[in-house]
């Protein structure tokens, strides 16, 4: 009996030793401190928020590989809907009951979770290895007060997706590079083809390219100032309102996102500000039966002249109270390794966060090739714990502005006032 | 029956309290325990469950409402991190913020909540009454009608609400398809705060009518037919019969269902939350959905949400007390 076990263990150790070599190069030398990964055991509960039908199979296959590589670690995979995961995680993390060991989370929530001590700092752990390889934008989303609390898993940003055929019919040769060109192009498209230019998404995340393009942001943490109603922000929202009034289909506020997608993929609007996650859905529509018809461009630039979109995406974070931290670190490391990321990118079409994962095979995917250059100009959201809370009042006021129920200045002033309540030590003007 | 007689048989043996010096409190409790321990044991589970599920959370909510607790300053004890609680008592500050209107959210929300409740209950009751009267007559396919009208009640709220959301869709919804066929232009059914308010009321009425109808139908059937016959003999018109026989006869049912449905509608969370999603200007938030946002969006404001919860509870308690006493004086 005893002998049997040790033989198996030894065999496993040999196999693992052979396979583990390729992965991390930096931490391997640091002997004594690091525990032998092959000896780590335990159960890792993983909350995945990827699309349960389309994306999850890829992650499950990777988990099977992981369990093969580390036979002493068992992974308990759970798919949690991304719209409810935040609340679920916060409740279970605070009470310590039922929280997962590893969670896939939106990058925007990292500062909040970190400030509440829900997720563990990962600097110097097995989870965060080979950081030099990560794309700067996604890596920056993991930082809170100088420490890293997550590992970038997939990244995204917003770009301009457009219907090439409609552009050709309207005699437009290149996608618009400024918001004013977008308005002019919409007018041309409407005149020549009868199709509306765009569909604005009233979600505040989709307002960020406008704000960033004017050099505006929600708040300025160094000056401790709420800047959402600065003159630059007013200019940005005025531009957004102008595009809505001149070039967009009317928003159905209760169904904004779904209608936006349906309108674009059935050819009822010519261009969208959207992210790479939507491409899979776009390609199911009648307008993009020929995948080459879908064009990719950076978001139009504001008056600063630079196209700037927010860095979005998903990070893997480790629950601070995990009973199996070493196993959780190893799991995180495995799922964000170059090989795993390339695999995810090929199968799911999401953008990897490691430069080395942009292999020739990965870049064959038109949406990854299309979005990769856009990613270089993306910038993270302001890293405040309250950033998730700030989006709600901003969105409510933005909707009022689009509906014409509030002036741009009035709406943003009112948002700034709400921001002031959420950021008590910040100055509001 | 037997227990009652046993009980009565025992009673004469009891010491007459007024004559002898009264036994101590402990003693009388011990005696009550000796005699009724069985009853206590039977009641205990309910008391414990109520205590754990209702009284403790309620008490804790009241406690939180006097503090400034948020997710950031409550005690955190996760893995290696131990952060002691740093929130403190703020007395009535939260209530003052709410009731003085300083938070800027309460009165607009309260106003809409009251309009929403009155409109929903009023319309639901009227339609429910009308349908109940229609269905209370002998007619063909009565069972089929009743079943069809109960359907909205049988469908889970979120399924019904999502169906309505699809129908209201201004670009791909069935309502616009229908009016386009007639030649009318498409409408943005959920486009403005006012339209959204109308829409949520419509959906809530749709969900609430079956309950009203069934309850009132029960009430109608308990009105003795002789009263109608007598009224008819006296030459009362159908309208007179309705106002002088049906309405008074329904009063006990009416007062109960109106009270119930007021409380329900006041706290009707799913319809507003699910029909409009998050892409609203916040104007359609009633007090409950607003408190929910406080508690669960971003960094949780436990104290703020708890104070809203307590204020909502107090409003409803005050309303129920007032309403019940009105009904009592009316009926006596």
């Amino acid at each position: 009996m005893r002998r049997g076990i040790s033989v198996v263990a030894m065999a496993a150790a040999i196999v693992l030793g052979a396979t583990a070599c390729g992965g991390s190069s930096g931490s391997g030398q640091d002997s004594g401190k690091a525990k032998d990964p092959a000896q780590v055991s335990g159960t890792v509960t993983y909350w995945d928020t990827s699309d349960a039908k389309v994306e999850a199979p890829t992650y499950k296959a990777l988990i099977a590989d992981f369990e093969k590589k580390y036979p002493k670690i068992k992974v308990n995979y759970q798919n949690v809907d991304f719209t409810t995961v935040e609340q679920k995680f916060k409740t279970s993390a605070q009470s310590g009951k039922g929280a997962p060991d590893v969670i896939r989370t939106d990058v925007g929530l990292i500062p909040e979770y970190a400030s509440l001590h829900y997720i563990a700092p990962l600097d110097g752990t097995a989870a965060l290895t080979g950081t030099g390889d990560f794309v700067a934008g996604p890596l920056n989303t993991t930082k809170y007060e100088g420490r890293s609390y997550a590992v970038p898993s997939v990244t995204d940003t917003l770009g301009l997706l457009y219907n090439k055929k409609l552009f050709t019919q309207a005699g437009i040769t290149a996608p618009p590079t400024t918001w004013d060109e977008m308005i002019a192009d919409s007018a041309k498209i409407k005149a020549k083809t009868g199709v509306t230019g765009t569909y604005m998404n009233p979600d505040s995340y989709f307002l960020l390219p406008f704000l960033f393009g004017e050099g505006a942001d929600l708040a300025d943490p160094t000056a401790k100032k709420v800047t959402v109603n600065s003159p630059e922000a007013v200019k940005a929202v005025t531009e957004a309102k102008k595009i809505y009034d001149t070039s967009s289909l009317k928003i159905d506020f209760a169904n904004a996102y779904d209608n936006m997608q349906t309108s674009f993929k059935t050819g009822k609007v010519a261009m969208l500000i959207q992210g790479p996650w939507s491409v899979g859905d776009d390609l199911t529509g009648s307008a993009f039966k020929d995948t080459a018809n879908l064009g990719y461009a950076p978001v139009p630039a504001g008056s600063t002249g630079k196209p700037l979109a927010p860095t979005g995406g998903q990070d893997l974070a480790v629950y601070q109270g995990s009973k199996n931290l070493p196993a959780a670190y190893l799991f995180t490391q495995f799922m964000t390794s170059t090989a795993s990321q390339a695999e995810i990118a090929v199968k799911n079409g999401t953008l990897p966060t490691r430069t080395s994962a942009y292999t020739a095979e990965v870049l064959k995917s038109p949406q990854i090739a299309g979005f990769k250059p856009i990613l270089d100009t993306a910038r993270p959201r302001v890293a405040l714990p309250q950033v998730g809370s700030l989006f709600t009042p901003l969105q409510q006021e933005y909707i009022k502005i689009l509906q014409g129920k509030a002036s741009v200045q009035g709406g943003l002033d009112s948002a700034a006032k709400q921001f002031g309540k959420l950021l008590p030590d910040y100055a509001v003007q | 029956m037997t227990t009652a007689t046993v009980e009565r048989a025992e009673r004469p043996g009891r010491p007459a309290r007024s004559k002898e010096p009264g036994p101590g409190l402990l003693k009388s409790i011990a005696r009550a325990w000796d005699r009724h321990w069985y009853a206590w044991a039977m009641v205990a589970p309910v008391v414990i469950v109520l205590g754990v599920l209702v009284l403790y959370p309620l008490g804790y909510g009241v406690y939180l409402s006097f503090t400034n607790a948020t997710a950031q300053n409550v005690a955190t004890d996760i893995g290696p991190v131990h952060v002691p609680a740093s929130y403190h008592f703020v007395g009535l500050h939260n209530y003052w913020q709410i009731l003085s209107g300083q938070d800027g959210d309460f009165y607009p929300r309260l106003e809409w909540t009251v309009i929403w409740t009155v409109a929903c209950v009023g319309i639901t009751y009227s339609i429910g009454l009308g349908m109940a009267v229609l269905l209370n007559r002998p007619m063909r396919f009565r069972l089929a009608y009743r079943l069809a009208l109960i359907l909205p009640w049988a469908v889970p709220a979120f399924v019904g609400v999502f169906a309505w959301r699809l129908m209201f869709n201004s670009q791909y919804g069935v309502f616009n398809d229908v009016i386009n066929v007639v030649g009318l232009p498409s409408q943005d059914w959920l486009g403005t705060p006012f339209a959204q308010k109308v829409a949520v009321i419509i959906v809530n009425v749709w969900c609430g009518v079956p309950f009203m109808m069934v309850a009132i139908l029960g009430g109608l059937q308990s009105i003795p037919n002789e009263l109608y016959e007598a009224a008819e003999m006296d030459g009362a018109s159908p309208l007179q019969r309705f106002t002088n026989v049906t309405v008074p006869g329904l009063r006990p049912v009416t007062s109960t269902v109106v009270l119930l449905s007021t409380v329900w509608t006041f706290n009707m969370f799913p319809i507003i939350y699910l029909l409009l999603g998050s892409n609203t200007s916040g104007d359609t938030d009633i007090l409950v959905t607003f408190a929910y946002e406080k508690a669960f969006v971003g960094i949780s404001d436990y104290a703020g949400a708890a104070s809203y919860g307590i204020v909502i509870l107090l409003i409803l308690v005050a309303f129920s007390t007032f309403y019940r006493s009105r009904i009592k004086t009316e009926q006596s």
Side-chain angles (χ1 to χ4, degrees):
Chain A
M1 192 65 194
R2 245 173 175 239
R3 226 175 129 167
I5 288 175
S6 68
V7 168
V8 170
M10 226 161 102
I14 292 165
V15 172
L16 290 177
T19 48
C21 281
S24 56
S25 48
S27 61
Q29 306 302 91
D30 202 29
S31 59
K33 250 170 109 187
K35 211 174 153 189
D36 180 11
Q39 296 309 315
V40 175
S41 62
T43 303
V44 178
T45 302
Y46 170 53
W47 279 9
D48 184 23
T49 56
S50 68
D51 186 285
K53 267 192 233 129
V54 186
E55 296 182 331
T58 311
Y59 289 93
K60 283 187 195 157
L62 278 175
I63 288 168
D65 292 346
F66 173 79
E67 286 181 322
K68 224 178 276 164
K69 189 173 172 188
Y70 299 97
K72 290 188 177 173
I73 305 177
K74 209 196 147 320
V75 179
N76 175 14
Y77 174 91
Q78 290 172 5
N79 194 292
V80 183
D81 185 64
F82 79 93
T83 54
T84 54
V85 70
E86 181 189 349
Q87 194 195 320
K88 256 181 122 170
F89 179 66
K90 282 198 276 193
T91 315
S92 57
Q94 174 74 42
S95 66
K97 287 180 201 90
D101 300 293
V102 179
I103 180 171
R104 182 182 192 257
T105 172
D106 188 284
V107 294
L109 294 167
I110 299 293
E112 183 180 329
Y113 291 163
S115 77
L116 298 172
H117 308 290
Y118 293 168
I119 52 179
L122 299 178
D123 304 281
T125 68
L128 200 63
T129 47
T131 46
D133 189 27
F134 281 111
V135 182
L139 188 63
N140 281 334
T141 65
T142 67
K143 301 260 195 327
Y144 177 68
E145 293 189 340
R147 295 166 94 178
S148 298
Y149 283 86
V151 186
S153 167
V154 298
T155 186
D156 59 51
T157 184
L158 293 172
L160 182 82
L161 300 182
Y162 63 98
N163 188 325
K164 286 184 185 162
K165 207 173 96 196
L166 290 171
F167 270 56
T168 322
Q169 280 173 12
I172 304 165
T173 49
T177 55
T178 65
W179 299 116
D180 288 330
E181 276 180 42
M182 191 173 174
I183 294 174
D185 286 348
S186 298
K188 273 188 219 161
I189 292 167
K190 184 87 192 170
K192 293 263 175 61
T193 66
V195 169
T196 311
T198 188
Y199 193 116
M200 292 282 277
N201 186 343
D203 191 285
S204 33
Y205 186 67
F206 288 72
L207 179 62
L208 292 176
F210 289 94
L211 290 172
F212 292 173
E214 301 299 329
D217 207 333
L218 306 181
D220 181 354
T222 43
K224 296 258 173 205
K225 243 170 81 177
V226 170
T227 55
V228 75
N229 59 343
S230 65
E232 293 81 23
V234 171
K235 205 168 157 203
V237 177
T238 309
E239 195 71 50
K241 167 91 170 132
K242 198 163 129 200
I243 290 188
Y244 179 55
D245 290 341
T246 59
S247 316
S248 170
L249 274 187
K250 271 206 107 159
I251 303 171
D252 184 304
F253 286 94
N255 304 289
Y257 189 88
D258 293 343
N259 283 15
M260 170 173 79
Q261 277 305 100
T262 315
S263 308
F264 184 58
K265 68 188 191 191
T266 55
K268 285 190 185 130
V269 300
M271 49 190 154
L272 281 191
I273 303 295
Q274 252 293 23
W277 63 82
S278 74
V279 172
D281 183 33
D282 293 331
L283 296 180
T284 62
S286 52
F288 302 106
K289 282 231 172 73
D290 172 15
T291 46
N293 191 31
L294 184 59
Y296 305 84
V299 291
S303 60
T304 54
K306 271 189 243 154
L308 287 172
T311 309
Q314 306 289 330
D315 290 347
L316 293 190
V318 175
Y319 177 50
Q320 181 103 252
S322 166
K323 299 273 189 303
N324 297 299
L325 278 175
Y329 293 152
L330 282 178
F331 178 72
T332 310
Q333 179 199 52
F334 181 88
M335 296 299 276
T336 54
S337 68
T338 304
S340 300
Q341 292 211 11
E343 175 94 6
I344 296 166
V346 169
K347 295 228 176 97
N348 292 355
T350 48
L351 291 152
T353 56
R354 284 183 187 269
T355 41
S356 56
Y358 285 90
T359 59
E361 198 195 355
V362 168
L363 285 169
K364 261 190 237 159
S365 153
Q367 75 223 50
I368 294 177
F371 266 99
K372 184 169 187 298
I374 302 174
L375 203 62
D376 297 334
T377 59
R379 49 168 284 191
R381 282 161 266 183
V382 55
L384 287 169
Q386 293 87 347
V387 95
S389 316
L390 298 182
F391 273 101
T392 309
L394 176 61
Q395 177 149 337
Q396 293 183 341
E397 295 304 329
Y398 181 38
I399 286 172
K400 279 186 203 165
I401 291 168
L402 290 180
Q403 287 176 334
K405 304 273 171 211
S407 69
V408 174
Q409 183 75 54
L412 290 180
D413 282 347
S414 157
K417 224 173 108 196
Q418 305 270 355
F419 279 26
K421 276 192 229 165
L422 297 160
L423 302 165
D425 49 345
Y426 276 54
V428 181
Q429 284 182 324
Chain B
M1 266 325 247
T2 39
T3 46
T5 39
V6 167
E7 188 80 46
R8 202 162 295 158
E10 268 178 359
R11 229 166 237 174
R14 236 170 155 188
R17 256 185 220 171
S18 50
K19 283 179 193 166
E20 287 174 33
L25 185 68
L26 270 177
K27 242 185 195 169
S28 68
I29 288 177
R31 188 167 299 153
W33 176 252
D34 275 347
R35 187 171 300 172
H36 299 299
W37 69 269
Y38 187 68
W40 285 111
M42 297 295 275
V43 170
V46 177
V47 172
I48 290 166
V49 167
L50 275 183
V52 171
L53 293 182
V54 178
L55 294 178
Y56 171 71
L58 186 65
Y60 195 64
V62 172
Y63 163 74
L64 281 179
S65 72
F66 291 117
T67 67
N68 63 352
T70 68
Q72 270 178 318
N73 59 18
V74 294
T76 308
D77 200 2
I78 302 170
V81 177
H82 305 281
V83 182
S86 58
Y87 64 92
H88 52 85
F89 268 94
V90 294
L92 291 169
H93 174 79
N94 293 327
Y95 292 102
W96 174 244
Q97 286 286 313
I98 293 172
L99 296 176
S100 67
Q102 276 179 26
D103 75 342
D105 295 311
F106 178 68
Y107 286 104
R109 300 280 71 81
L110 178 68
E111 184 192 335
W112 160 234
T113 310
V114 170
I115 295 173
W116 146 264
T117 309
V118 171
C120 284
V121 174
I123 299 172
T124 313
Y125 182 78
S126 315
I127 297 179
L129 178 63
M131 287 185 168
V133 170
L134 283 176
L135 283 179
N136 195 34
R137 298 171 309 154
M139 55 159 72
R140 259 200 269 179
F141 311 123
R142 191 154 78 159
L143 186 68
Y145 288 128
R146 284 190 190 179
L147 284 178
L149 288 168
I150 296 236
L151 195 69
W153 199 12
V155 174
F158 78 95
V159 176
V161 173
F162 280 131
W164 276 93
R165 191 162 152 178
L166 290 176
M167 295 193 288
F168 276 131
N169 192 320
S170 67
Q171 271 124 11
Y172 305 101
V174 70
F175 287 160
N176 273 341
D177 290 350
V178 169
I179 65 168
N180 286 345
V181 166
V182 188
L184 293 166
S186 291
Q187 297 296 314
D188 198 356
W189 301 100
L190 303 172
T192 62
F194 180 74
Q196 291 175 343
K197 287 177 177 178
V198 172
V200 287
I201 291 177
I202 291 175
V203 176
N204 191 46
V205 166
W206 178 81
C207 286
V209 159
F211 165 75
M212 282 290 186
M213 189 192 72
V214 171
I216 297 171
L217 202 52
L220 284 178
Q221 281 164 355
S222 71
I223 301 174
N225 231 0
E226 293 82 48
L227 289 179
Y228 286 104
E229 281 164 16
E232 222 171 334
M233 296 278 274
D234 292 341
S237 70
L239 184 69
Q240 282 171 324
R241 270 178 275 154
F242 179 76
T243 50
N244 294 321
V245 180
T246 310
V247 172
L250 277 179
R251 196 156 283 155
V253 175
T254 302
S255 62
T256 309
V257 292
V258 167
L259 179 63
L260 273 180
S261 103
T262 303
V263 173
W264 288 342
T265 311
F266 201 89
N267 285 337
M268 182 55 78
F269 177 82
I271 288 176
I272 288 179
Y273 192 75
L274 296 177
L275 186 69
L276 299 172
S278 55
N279 287 329
T280 67
S281 52
D283 288 319
T284 40
D285 271 330
I286 55 173
L287 289 172
V288 178
T289 52
F290 184 75
Y292 173 86
E293 272 164 29
K294 267 192 170 323
F296 292 110
V297 175
I299 291 181
S300 305
D301 178 4
Y302 297 137
S307 333
Y308 262 84
I310 302 297
V311 168
I312 293 169
L313 181 72
L314 291 178
I315 292 173
L316 288 176
V317 167
F319 168 77
S320 316
T321 318
F322 171 75
Y323 183 85
R324 298 266 323 251
S325 67
R326 273 280 310 269
I327 295 289
K328 238 180 220 163
T329 49
E330 232 170 61
Q331 279 173 346
S332 60

